[in-house]
């Protein structure tokens, strides 16, 4: 039974990793190879895709490749656990994804609810500060995890080793707040305002064709990012709850099949984003088809 569960989880992780790497590579190429797609919003999507690809790489190392080889022990093993095999970089990139989603929700809010405010408009110069800040924040938030993760002789693999019982509970609770409560609350509030503005706001009827097209374009873009954010909430709440439960209850839960299933679900979030883009953005879909046909345009 355990062997069957291991094979099933390994296959699930492998599928998610391949979907993530292929789909997000397409996002990166579509944005980089087409000048018309290099808008501030799409640059944020590009950073989100890169973060999701980092998640996939370290998920593959930890859950697909890791179980198949004998992990080094001692100082070398601990170093590898902290920076390669223990999942720390995976969670750092995941936090970057969360930061991007929040920034995207703020951008949608400003573009739709306050379109005339130039001070709040997202620009490439602002992105030069925002994108590195997301990566720095993601790394700093995971410093406690980086310290705690080490090679554990009792498990013969990587694991968390905290100095006391309260630290893992506090850190996992912090994850639930920083990666769950705060971003979901912010995105829910901002997108509710955006939806009200685009679909329910009682303004004079628009007769201009160009104005109608602009509203339709904003609606489609908003649907895409709301879908991405909704999928994020569905996929991440279980793994955050499991992480807290594993810290508060017996430690072996964090290495159980149930915990790994919640990680698969979180991995699904990183894999599905490119699919959402292609189904909700006609421009992205057109460039993607052109790219797959090896007929890339730089105009």
């Amino acid at each position: 039974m355990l062997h069957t569960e291991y094979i099933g989880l390994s296959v699930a992780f492998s599928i998610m990793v391949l979907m993530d790497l292929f789909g997000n590579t397409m996002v990166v190429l579509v944005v980089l190879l087409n000048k018309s797609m290099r808008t501030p919003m799409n640059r944020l999507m590009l950073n989100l895709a890169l973060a999701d690809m980092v998640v996939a790489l370290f998920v593959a190392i930890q859950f697909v490749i890791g179980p198949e080889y004998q992990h080094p022990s001692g100082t070398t093993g601990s170093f590898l656990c902290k920076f390669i095999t223990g999942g720390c970089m995976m969670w750092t990139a995941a936090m970057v994804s969360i930061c991007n989603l929040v920034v995207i929700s703020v951008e949608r809010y400003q573009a739709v609810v306050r379109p005339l405010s130039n001070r709040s408009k997202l620009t490439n110069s602002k992105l030069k500060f925002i994108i590195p800040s997301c990566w720095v924040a993601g790394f700093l938030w995971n410093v406690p995890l980086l310290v705690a993760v080490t090679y554990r002789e009792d498990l013969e693999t990587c694991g968390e080793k905290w100095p006391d019982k309260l630290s893992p509970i506090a850190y996992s609770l912090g994850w639930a707040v920083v990666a769950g409560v705060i971003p979901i609350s912010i995105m829910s509030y901002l997108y509710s305002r955006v939806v009200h503005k685009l679909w329910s706001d009682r303004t004079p009827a628009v007769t201009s064709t160009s104005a109608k097209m602009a509203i339709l374009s904003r609606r489609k873009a908003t649907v895409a990012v709301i879908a991405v954010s909704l999928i994020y909430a569905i996929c991440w709440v279980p793994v955050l709850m499991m992480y807290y439960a594993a810290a508060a209850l017996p430690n072996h839960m964090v290495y159980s099949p149930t915990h790994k299933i919640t990680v698969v679900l979180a991995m699904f979030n990183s894999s599905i984003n490119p699919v959402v883009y292609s189904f909700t953005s006609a421009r992205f879909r057109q460039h993607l088809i052109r790219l797959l046909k090896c007929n890339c345009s730089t105009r």
Side-chain angles (χ1 to χ4, degrees):
M1 178 64 72
L2 288 175
H3 182 65
T4 303
E5 287 179 345
Y6 164 73
I7 294 176
L9 287 170
S10 181
V11 170
F13 276 120
S14 299
I15 293 172
M16 292 298 101
V17 166
L18 291 175
M19 284 180 57
D20 184 310
L21 292 177
F22 175 78
N24 285 297
T25 297
M26 293 299 101
V27 172
V28 171
L29 291 176
V30 164
V31 175
L32 292 182
L33 295 176
N34 298 277
K35 291 182 179 179
S36 62
M37 296 294 288
R38 298 174 200 167
T39 62
M41 182 65 171
N42 284 336
R43 289 180 189 273
L44 269 178
M45 293 296 188
L46 172 63
N47 191 49
L48 179 62
L50 291 173
D52 286 340
M53 290 172 71
V54 173
V55 170
L57 289 173
F58 285 97
V59 162
I61 292 172
Q62 185 176 12
F63 294 106
V64 180
I65 301 172
E68 298 296 332
Y69 78 101
Q70 184 67 37
H71 198 286
S73 58
T75 304
T76 301
S78 294
F79 178 84
L80 291 174
C81 285
K82 292 180 185 300
F83 295 100
I84 299 177
T85 58
C88 297
M89 297 302 107
M90 173 183 71
W91 296 116
T92 295
M95 187 58 75
V96 176
S97 293
I98 296 165
C99 179
N100 271 265
L101 290 174
V102 172
V103 174
I104 289 169
S105 69
V106 173
E107 190 280 338
R108 282 292 84 198
Y109 172 80
Q110 298 291 357
V112 174
V113 179
R114 299 179 178 178
L116 301 179
S117 176
N118 290 324
R119 291 179 57 186
S120 59
K121 187 174 293 185
L122 186 67
T123 62
N124 288 327
S125 59
K126 289 181 180 178
L127 284 179
K128 291 179 181 179
F129 170 78
I130 292 172
I131 290 177
S133 295
C134 285
W135 285 95
V136 171
F139 179 79
L140 291 177
W141 176 254
N142 280 281
V143 166
L145 184 63
L146 195 67
V147 174
V149 168
T150 186
Y151 180 82
R152 289 181 51 170
E153 299 287 348
D154 56 329
L155 300 172
E156 296 184 345
T157 187
C158 302
E160 296 177 21
K161 196 171 184 179
W162 297 89
D164 53 66
K165 292 183 179 180
L166 184 60
S167 295
I169 296 175
Y171 186 65
S172 61
L173 184 60
W175 258 99
V177 173
V178 173
V181 175
I182 292 176
I184 291 173
S185 298
I186 291 174
M187 289 187 288
S188 297
Y189 171 74
L190 294 179
Y191 285 137
S192 66
R193 295 287 305 276
V194 169
V195 168
H196 181 269
K197 181 69 176 180
L198 288 177
W199 278 274
S200 304
D201 194 19
R202 294 183 178 180
T203 55
V206 177
T207 57
S208 168
T209 302
S210 60
K212 288 181 178 180
M213 292 297 293
I215 292 174
L216 182 61
S217 177
R218 286 181 178 178
R219 284 180 176 179
K220 287 183 176 180
T222 301
V223 167
V225 293
I226 288 177
V228 169
S229 302
L230 183 61
I231 291 170
Y232 164 78
I234 294 171
C235 292
W236 271 87
V237 168
V239 74
L240 292 173
M241 291 176 63
M242 175 56 69
Y243 188 40
Y244 177 75
L249 299 174
N251 191 52
H252 69 272
M253 282 186 63
V254 77
Y255 308 107
S256 67
T258 304
H259 168 256
K260 291 180 180 178
I261 289 171
T262 63
V263 178
V264 170
L265 192 59
M267 182 72 221
F268 176 75
N269 176 69
S270 295
S271 306
I272 200 65
N273 288 346
V275 179
V276 176
Y277 303 153
S278 62
F279 274 104
T280 55
S281 172
R283 271 180 84 191
F284 178 85
R285 191 162 56 248
Q286 290 169 0
H287 287 299
L288 178 60
I289 293 171
R290 185 181 298 169
L291 176 63
L292 293 174
K293 290 181 178 179
C294 299
N295 184 27
C296 303
S297 171
T298 57
R299 293 180 293 175

